[in-house]
Amino acid sequence: MRRRLTLLVAATMCLALLAFVVPLALLLRTVAQDRATVAANADAQSLVSLVGTADPATLRTSVEHVAAGARGPLTVFLADGSVLGTPVARTSAVRLAGLAGVSRTVERADGREIVVAVLGRPDGTAVIRAFVPAAELTRGVTQAWLVLAGLGVALLLLGLLVADRLSRALVSPISDLSAVSHRLARGAPPAPPPPPPPPRPARGARGRAGPPPPPAPRPDGPPELREVAGALNHLADRIQELLREEREQVADLSHRLRAPLTSLRLEAESLTGTDAARITARVDAMERAVTGLISQARHRPEADAHAQCDAASALRDRVAFWTVLAEDTGRAVTLDVAAEGPLPVGVPADELAAAVDALLGNVFAHTPDGTAFSVTLSPRPGGGAVLTVADDGPGLSADLAQRGTSLGGSTGLGLDIARRAAQSSGGRMTLTTGRSGGARVTLELGSPTPRLSPLPPSPPPS
């Protein structure tokens, strides 16, 4: 914006200078030509009375004296063929003036010719010729044009300097607003304004209170920008307040789950056999998840661009957890991990586990018992992994791709959790239909290297 403002001022000043300098330069050239012509015409007119009345000897002496002080060639042509002053040949303008007795000014390629016809001499019409060379017509014009050009360049540079200062004063508050908006977009609070300097004690007054402290600093810039800055600061405060309220509500809601979890633990401990140990282990895992949710809701650190985990290990753990429930409901589970070693992805382990739980939970929630499903993990071209969950059920509606939408009585947030996990790594989620007609959810998980932006979301299934 600063460069554009400077270019705009430069273009405007160039147009203004052209509109001012070009006519002035033409006027200076015209003035110089008129000045030289008037001077030559005055030299010629000074000889008119003398040519009409003086005798030849006096006339010759007077003409030679005047011609010596003239700026250009000055010649008197008498009717008897005599040439007085600067010796030059008779031109067509001189001959025409001698025949017709008419004075005139003639433009020539090498200058300007002024002829004056003098009537009343006994021997006939005499002609006074004054010639102004081209160099005399343009004398001083080049220097005047150079002065104008220098003045124009100086004014242009001065205008650019003023425009740069003004644009800097205008763009700097806008840059500050942009920085604040980016901080808000990252979820960070805006930087607090610098504290005012401490008041200095009054000179010569010991023990007395000094001048009052200066007021709090206000945003710089025009009034409109100051108003926008104030609104943005108010918006930032409001966002921070809403975030605090949301985190407290989530933490309180999660904390309420501890009571039923404690009751469930006591019930599990009263059981005997292998089922009791398995249920206790599941309750412990759920309690750890609730504790992590409370900690995350209260603190919520900024997203780490270098977060990563081993997708193969995390997937095997979660599939092993859901396999027990699949055996109880008669579902066949197929796990295919097309990687012998670790498969790093740019998603934290807890987020990837939550995404897998959401996808497998949808299979159990939206398909009847006995429906088989498969989980596939393969390397992604360019780094990362591709996770696919497919089932043999009735399929998913396109409306389920929207956050909070559910046609089966659930919260509608499962697919959104999976999609956000994929997008945070630079990938995306795709909903399609499998070969058997069931749902097929594909998560493209990016590599753990820093990413610029996630891939565009894929269109909903037809």
Side-chain angles (χ1 to χ4, degrees):
M1 182 177 179
R2 180 179 173 185
R3 183 171 60 89
R4 291 183 178 180
L5 289 176
T6 305
L7 291 177
L8 176 61
V9 172
T12 304
M13 288 202 63
C14 286
L15 292 177
L17 288 175
L18 287 177
F20 170 73
V21 171
V22 172
L24 184 58
L26 296 177
L27 179 61
L28 288 176
R29 186 180 64 178
T30 303
V31 169
Q33 293 175 353
D34 292 342
R35 182 184 65 242
T37 302
V38 169
N41 191 23
D43 292 339
Q45 293 293 335
S46 65
L47 294 176
V48 171
S49 60
L50 187 62
V51 171
T53 59
D55 59 277
T58 304
L59 179 60
R60 180 179 297 275
T61 303
S62 300
V63 170
E64 291 177 356
H65 177 73
V66 174
R71 296 185 179 181
L74 183 62
T75 308
V76 177
F77 297 93
L78 300 179
D80 58 0
S82 302
V83 178
L84 306 178
T86 305
V88 294
R90 290 179 181 265
T91 61
S92 58
V94 173
R95 290 192 294 267
L96 181 60
L99 295 176
V102 178
S103 302
R104 64 179 57 194
T105 301
V106 181
E107 296 288 343
R108 295 177 50 176
D110 56 348
R112 183 173 296 179
E113 185 179 14
I114 303 171
V115 292
V116 179
V118 180
L119 305 177
R121 285 186 61 84
D123 54 353
T125 303
V127 178
I128 304 173
R129 177 185 182 269
F131 183 74
V132 183
E136 187 67 23
L137 290 174
T138 59
R139 189 179 65 173
V141 175
T142 303
Q143 292 82 350
W145 284 2
L146 291 177
V147 172
L148 282 179
L151 180 61
V153 172
L155 290 177
L156 179 59
L157 293 179
L158 180 60
L160 291 179
L161 179 61
V162 174
D164 181 72
R165 296 294 183 181
L166 293 178
S167 61
R168 181 182 301 179
L170 179 63
V171 172
S172 179
I174 297 179
S175 301
D176 295 340
L177 292 180
S178 177
V180 172
S181 63
H182 285 301
R183 289 180 59 86
L184 293 179
R186 294 193 303 267
R200 293 181 298 180
R203 181 178 300 178
R206 295 184 178 181
R208 288 194 235 165
R218 299 181 59 187
D220 297 330
E224 295 79 4
L225 286 180
R226 292 200 297 267
E227 183 178 357
V228 173
L232 187 60
N233 290 334
H234 178 69
L235 176 62
D237 295 338
R238 182 57 179 165
I239 289 176
Q240 295 300 319
E241 182 181 354
L242 292 177
L243 287 177
R244 285 193 298 269
E245 293 179 358
E246 179 188 2
R247 292 172 185 176
E248 293 299 330
Q249 290 178 0
V250 173
D252 293 344
L253 181 61
S254 302
H255 192 271
R256 293 178 185 178
L257 295 176
R258 288 183 176 238
L261 284 177
T262 302
S263 176
L264 186 59
R265 174 188 292 276
L266 295 176
E267 292 292 339
E269 290 177 354
S270 64
L271 299 177
T272 58
T274 58
D275 292 340
R278 187 183 64 182
I279 293 175
T280 303
R282 298 296 180 262
V283 172
D284 291 339
M286 185 177 298
E287 187 172 2
R288 287 193 298 270
V290 170
T291 302
L293 181 60
I294 294 174
S295 177
Q296 183 180 7
R298 287 189 177 275
H299 302 289
R300 188 169 297 185
E302 295 185 3
D304 187 3
H306 302 279
Q308 59 178 323
C309 70
D310 180 14
S313 176
L315 181 63
R316 290 190 182 98
D317 292 342
R318 301 318 301 162
V319 171
F321 173 81
W322 289 94
T323 300
V324 178
L325 183 58
E327 293 176 354
D328 294 340
T329 56
R331 301 173 185 269
V333 182
T334 303
L335 175 62
D336 182 11
V337 180
E340 297 181 357
L343 196 57
V345 294
V347 182
D350 55 347
E351 292 187 11
L352 181 58
V356 174
D357 289 343
L359 296 180
L360 297 182
N362 280 337
V363 173
F364 282 85
H366 300 286
T367 60
D369 294 346
T371 302
F373 64 92
S374 63
V375 182
T376 305
L377 183 68
S378 60
R380 178 180 177 227
V386 178
L387 172 63
T388 303
V389 177
D391 61 65
D392 297 335
L396 291 176
S397 171
D399 296 336
L400 292 178
Q402 300 178 3
R403 176 178 175 87
T405 302
S406 175
L407 300 180
S410 62
T411 60
L413 301 180
L415 291 179
D416 183 71
I417 294 174
R419 181 177 63 251
R420 285 190 288 112
Q423 290 180 350
S424 65
S425 66
R428 61 183 176 183
M429 183 186 73
T430 305
L431 294 178
T432 56
T433 303
R435 296 180 179 179
S436 61
R440 180 184 177 91
V441 183
T442 302
L443 294 184
E444 297 184 23
L445 304 174
S447 60
T449 56
R451 297 160 297 277
L452 296 179
S453 60
L455 295 175
S458 59
S462 56

